[in-house]
């Protein structure tokens, strides 16, 4: 089992809809969770991080963490075509604590 | 805040030559920097972790003698690809973290290396 699993997609949503991106992880000791956005040919950009169970909102983005079920999700409200990108879930594990472990990413396509 | 720069953004070199890539944290001190490689349509692959003033920690399978990393100051890390070969052609991305024990990482814009 991979440490961080994401559906590769593409996830297609119409403009204005809510996009829901999910990520599961295997290490129960994982402490910190991150969502990055990566446009094609560009480097990843940090969107949000979350450490505690529950929801964390920042503008149109909401990160949700459920440590008991070992999943973290990212909701994008009022999706825009400019949100079309690959979204990477990452976590800081307890071994090699400086490193982030990345999922392979979910490609999101927002159609006008 | 939390801006990381990389130079050069794109480089083409001949097989057998060496290439140096610089990574700078512009508005914070980076006690830890990371170097990644990404092939087309693949995910990020961590190559090494470097802490300022100490030797880099390389991931399994990454040749430390081929990919030389120096983190001489709190704002600068360099990656030198020695004796480059066409299979080293890739997108190299650095990231920097303001905290000693990781937490969030901020990525540079990347360097696209093509070895001919």
């Amino acid at each position: 089992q991979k440490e961080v699993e994401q559906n590769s997609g593409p996830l297609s949503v119409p403009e204005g809809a809510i996009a829901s991106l999910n990520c599961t992880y295997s290490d129960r000791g994982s402490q910190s969770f991150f969502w990055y956005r990566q446009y094609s040919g560009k480097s990843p950009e940090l969107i949000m991080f979350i450490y505690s169970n529950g929801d964390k909102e920042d503008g149109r983005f909401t990160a949700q963490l459920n440590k008991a079920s070992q999943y973290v999700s990212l909701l994008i409200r009022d999706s825009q075509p400019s949100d079309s990108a690959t979204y990477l879930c990452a976590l800081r594990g307890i071994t090699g604590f400086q490193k982030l472990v990345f999922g392979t990413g979910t490609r999101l396509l927002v159609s006008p | 805040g939390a801006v990381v720069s990389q130079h050069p953004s794109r480089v083409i070199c001949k097989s057998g030559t060496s290439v140096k890539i610089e990574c700078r944290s512009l508005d914070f001190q980076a006690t830890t920097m990371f170097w990644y490689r990404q092939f087309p349509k693949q995910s990020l692959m961590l190559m090494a972790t470097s802490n300022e003033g100490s030797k880099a920690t390389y991931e399994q399978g990454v040749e430390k003698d081929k990919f030389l990393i120096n983190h001489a100051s709190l704002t600068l890390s360099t990656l030198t690809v020695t004796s480059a070969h066409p299979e080293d052609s890739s997108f190299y991305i650095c990231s920097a973290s303001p905290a000693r024990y990781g937490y969030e990482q901020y990525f540079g814009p990347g360097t696209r290396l093509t070895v001919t």
Side-chain angles (χ1 to χ4, degrees):
Chain A
Q1 183 185 7
K2 291 182 183 177
E3 290 187 72
V4 182
E5 298 227 33
Q6 294 182 261
N7 188 313
S8 61
L11 172 66
S12 295
V13 300
E15 183 175 358
I18 296 175
S20 177
L21 303 156
N22 299 310
C23 171
T24 58
Y25 59 95
S26 59
D27 187 351
R28 280 195 175 276
S30 301
Q31 299 294 317
S32 315
F33 304 85
F34 306 84
W35 282 101
Y36 286 86
R37 175 174 63 195
Q38 187 174 25
Y39 292 110
S40 181
K42 303 294 185 182
S43 66
E45 172 192 7
L46 179 65
I47 299 175
M48 292 186 71
F49 54 85
I50 185 167
Y51 301 149
S52 304
N53 276 326
D55 295 1
K56 180 181 178 182
E57 189 174 314
D58 184 359
R60 295 188 295 115
F61 300 97
T62 298
Q64 299 175 317
L65 174 60
N66 185 322
K67 289 187 179 181
S69 300
Q70 294 175 245
Y71 81 79
V72 57
S73 62
L74 180 69
L75 302 178
I76 306 175
R77 289 182 298 282
D78 189 23
S79 295
Q80 301 297 309
S82 59
D83 294 325
S84 299
T86 296
Y87 289 79
L88 301 170
C89 170
L91 59 84
R92 182 170 68 92
I94 57 172
T95 57
F97 50 80
Q98 295 174 310
K99 301 189 298 188
L100 292 185
V101 179
F102 283 86
T104 54
T106 298
R107 195 156 72 97
L108 173 66
L109 296 176
V110 181
S111 54
Chain B
V3 179
V4 178
S5 69
Q6 257 183 267
H7 178 80
S9 58
R10 190 178 294 267
V11 58
I12 300 172
C13 70
K14 292 188 184 301
S15 188
T17 61
S18 295
V19 174
K20 179 185 281 188
I21 302 170
E22 289 188 353
C23 176
R24 293 181 185 273
S25 57
L26 298 185
D27 53 2
F28 65 98
Q29 292 186 329
T31 52
T32 308
M33 287 184 167
F34 305 83
W35 287 95
Y36 295 83
R37 182 167 53 179
Q38 188 173 37
F39 293 105
K41 301 204 184 297
Q42 294 187 23
S43 191
L44 294 169
M45 189 197 84
L46 179 66
M47 300 175 67
T49 301
S50 73
N51 289 303
E52 181 264 340
S54 58
K55 289 185 179 180
T57 302
Y58 290 82
E59 294 299 299
Q60 195 170 11
V62 177
E63 301 174 59
K64 64 176 76 174
D65 294 331
K66 181 169 182 62
F67 299 99
L68 302 179
I69 291 171
N70 184 278
H71 190 164
S73 78
L74 287 172
T75 59
L76 173 64
S77 176
T78 59
L79 167 68
T80 302
V81 183
T82 63
S83 187
H85 289 98
E87 57 265 31
D88 298 324
S89 298
S90 188
F91 191 41
Y92 291 86
I93 314 171
C94 73
S95 71
S97 179
R100 169 64 70 170
Y101 295 109
Y103 301 106
E104 69 271 24
Q105 294 179 22
Y106 298 94
F107 284 85
T111 296
R112 194 160 301 282
L113 170 64
T114 303
V115 184
T116 61

